[in-house]
Amino acid sequence: MLASPEASRFVLVNNADLFKPTYPKSKEKMIGPSALFFHQGEYHNHLRKIVQSSLSPEAIKKLIPGLEAIAISTLESWDNGKVVNTFQGMKKFSFEVGILAIFGHLEKRQKEELKENYSIVDKGYNSFPTNIPGTAYHKAIMARKRLSQILQEIICERKEKKLLENDLLGHLLNFKNDKGLSLNNDQVADNIIGILFAAQDTTASALTWILKYLHDDQKLLEAVKAEQKAICLSNERGNRSLTWTQTRNMPLTYKVILESLRMASIVSFTFREAVVDVEYNGYLIPKGWKVMPLFRNIHHNPEFFSEPQNFDPYRFEVVPKPNTYLPFGTGAHSCPGNELAKLEMLILIHHLVNKLRWEVVGSQDTVQYSPFPVPQNGLPARFWKEPDKQELYN
Ligand code: HEM
């Protein structure tokens, strides 16, 4: 277990080729063995370039109107006074965002079938891997097969129509390596499921914590509201779409996101496996041993973040020391979705604080691991429209 920034850098950045990603076989089978995060070397590099370019700031700028539409419809579905499981609500939001980034527009039927089967996969992913019919794992394996079929259908339609779309699917389909080889349909499908998987619970968990931290600090919430209201009012009639520049100009909201990612440390650690005997600082890491860089320990070390248990977004007025802030990992496998994750969080917060108020139901001081940390029971909360903010609703 590595709890120092230097050791994490040694494993994840400087010697990434000596430490391979390692996941249980049952998980590889469920996501799809060709998904990029199971790989190293040339195949991984190629895929990573495709994913990174499809999720680069240039590419995601174009998603802003779509992201706003998803955020607004998510929030509208909450403001009926009923108790909402915030984490589950955020999962719906981050899934829709994943679909938008991967497919752009998708036919309603195909989207519904993807959603339905993906949620069965999601439920079985962390259950005991047994092939006994009726178990959550078996149901998930069956749903994963149906997902493959739906994805084959979508891929074939795209290929037939020869549509040169600029979304992630388009990039995966257009890819050719230096030998002129493209990805086969299974490789494309495994990577789509992989990205949906990497994108959904992580972002939903982060957003759930953000709502809790803001709820617990009303003064901070008022300051965030003031920042977001100013952006809203600077737009004509308060209802024009957000611009990319505006999303880059939300300094306090951005710091709230950074601090929430530090406090909650959603991806608390990662795993690698030594592919040869490796020596680090006089220690031998034998070939085949697992190595775990512990992001949460680094984020909660008072040497790097003073009074680490305090939620203080203003600490990000000073840039953290190198390799001490790793919510998106670092090195060869660092998160290619980090810009999209931040953009969708900024957009959701913008509409949330401008349009709704919320109240957490029950006491919420315990953490549940699902497997990412979330407040107990997914943070049950009640949402309602701010009466005097009616005009901001579009
Ligand atoms: C707050 C939200 C998110 C957090 C905290 C997060 C965190 C991380 C971390 C820590 C890693 C590195 C894991 C490792 O080194 O083993 C990672 C990898 C990855 N993430 Fe994210 N992520 C988030 C959102 C997203 C989104 C929105 C996407 C895609 C749309 C995404 C796609 C990926 C992919 C594909 C990888 C694997 C990269 C590789 O192996 O080369 N993530 N993420």
Side-chain angles (χ1 to χ4, degrees):
M1 291 186 187
L2 313 174
S4 87
E6 297 74 26
S8 299
R9 185 175 168 78
F10 177 85
V11 168
L12 298 173
V13 184
N14 298 345
N15 297 285
D17 52 330
L18 304 182
F19 297 94
K20 64 175 184 188
T22 156
Y23 289 81
K25 277 277 164 275
S26 60
K27 309 256 189 248
E28 264 191 49
K29 190 173 162 194
M30 189 72 81
I31 300 294
S34 299
L36 86 160
F37 39 76
F38 302 130
H39 293 267
Q40 261 190 315
E42 207 183 333
Y43 176 75
H44 174 253
N45 284 342
H46 281 150
L47 270 167
R48 209 176 144 80
K49 276 195 194 121
I50 308 176
V51 176
Q52 263 174 332
S53 68
S54 322
L55 299 174
S56 67
E58 269 320 301
I60 61 173
K61 265 180 199 176
K62 301 180 190 105
L63 299 180
I64 293 179
L67 293 175
E68 284 200 273
I70 300 170
I72 291 169
S73 84
T74 304
L75 296 173
E76 281 178 347
S77 71
W78 293 353
D79 80 23
N80 54 13
K82 290 200 188 126
V83 176
V84 173
N85 177 319
T86 309
F87 180 56
Q88 291 305 324
M90 293 301 185
K91 278 184 74 154
K92 285 190 191 149
F93 169 70
S94 54
F95 188 82
E96 290 280 340
V97 171
I99 296 278
L100 176 74
I102 295 168
F103 303 101
H105 174 74
L106 194 62
E107 221 180 86
K108 196 164 178 236
R109 176 189 58 84
Q110 290 171 330
K111 191 153 116 183
E112 290 308 314
E113 284 179 11
L114 278 182
K115 256 192 220 169
E116 189 188 321
N117 288 294
Y118 186 84
S119 79
I120 303 172
V121 169
D122 187 46
K123 282 198 193 98
Y125 180 77
N126 284 311
S127 56
F128 188 74
T130 159
N131 273 334
I132 301 171
T135 58
Y137 185 79
H138 186 262
K139 282 184 192 161
I141 287 287
M142 303 312 282
R144 176 63 180 85
K145 287 190 179 144
R146 291 191 294 275
L147 278 179
S148 283
Q149 287 162 2
I150 305 162
L151 290 170
Q152 296 293 337
E153 180 191 307
I154 299 172
I155 293 168
C156 289
E157 273 177 23
R158 272 278 179 103
K159 284 184 174 169
E160 262 169 37
K161 287 184 198 154
K162 296 212 173 6
L163 286 175
L164 287 175
E165 301 281 352
N166 218 7
D167 46 39
L168 187 58
L169 175 58
H171 281 100
L172 289 168
L173 293 178
N174 292 336
F175 171 76
K176 282 203 172 50
N177 69 11
D178 357 328
K179 294 174 196 108
L181 291 176
S182 39
L183 297 170
N184 65 36
N185 287 2
D186 283 337
Q187 289 171 321
V188 174
D190 288 3
N191 278 290
I192 291 176
I193 304 290
I195 285 162
L196 282 174
F197 174 77
Q200 192 187 23
D201 281 22
T202 45
T203 319
S205 165
L207 276 166
T208 307
W209 282 108
I210 291 172
L211 259 71
K212 174 166 168 52
Y213 296 136
L214 288 177
H215 177 270
D216 291 352
D217 186 343
Q218 290 291 317
K219 206 170 138 210
L220 177 65
L221 174 60
E222 287 310 317
V224 169
K225 272 187 186 178
E227 177 172 280
Q228 293 300 339
K229 188 179 173 187
I231 291 174
C232 206
L233 295 176
S234 69
N235 276 350
E236 218 174 84
R237 296 196 321 278
N239 63 4
R240 230 178 49 205
S241 185
L242 281 169
T243 63
W244 173 254
T245 315
Q246 284 173 326
T247 64
R248 302 292 96 180
N249 216 349
M250 302 177 173
L252 179 59
T253 313
Y254 190 69
K255 287 188 199 98
V256 167
I257 292 175
L258 297 183
E259 177 67 341
S260 302
L261 290 172
R262 183 195 69 81
M263 272 291 270
S265 294
I266 316 294
V267 179
S268 315
F269 58 85
T270 186
F271 281 105
R272 296 289 187 269
E273 185 183 309
V275 291
V276 288
D277 283 354
V278 184
E279 205 190 304
Y280 175 71
N281 261 1
Y283 291 96
L284 172 70
I285 306 172
K287 177 181 171 185
W289 277 43
K290 305 278 192 238
V291 179
M292 293 165 70
L294 304 176
F295 303 138
R296 176 189 295 275
N297 294 55
I298 299 174
H299 293 163
H300 286 259
N301 184 336
E303 214 184 296
F304 313 128
F305 297 96
S306 63
E307 300 188 59
Q309 297 313 323
N310 289 352
F311 184 85
D312 177 13
Y314 299 99
R315 67 170 83 239
F316 282 93
E317 275 165 9
V318 179
V319 178
K321 291 187 188 134
N323 307 304
T324 58
Y325 184 65
L326 306 166
F328 294 105
T330 180
H333 289 273
S334 69
C335 182
N338 76 93
E339 286 294 341
L340 176 62
K342 287 187 272 191
L343 180 65
E344 64 182 283
M345 292 194 268
L346 288 167
I347 291 177
L348 189 111
I349 300 170
H350 170 78
H351 289 286
L352 173 74
V353 302
N354 272 326
K355 289 162 187 162
L356 297 182
R357 292 180 70 83
W358 70 99
E359 168 186 87
V360 173
V361 178
S363 129
Q364 293 300 328
D365 285 329
T366 34
V367 181
Q368 190 182 319
Y369 292 87
S370 66
F372 297 111
V374 272
Q376 192 69 36
N377 300 324
L379 195 75
R382 223 176 251 115
F383 295 79
W384 66 95
K385 243 173 255 178
E386 286 219 69
D388 57 327
K389 301 289 162 57
Q390 206 75 30
E391 80 278 8
L392 298 178
Y393 234 108
N394 52 27

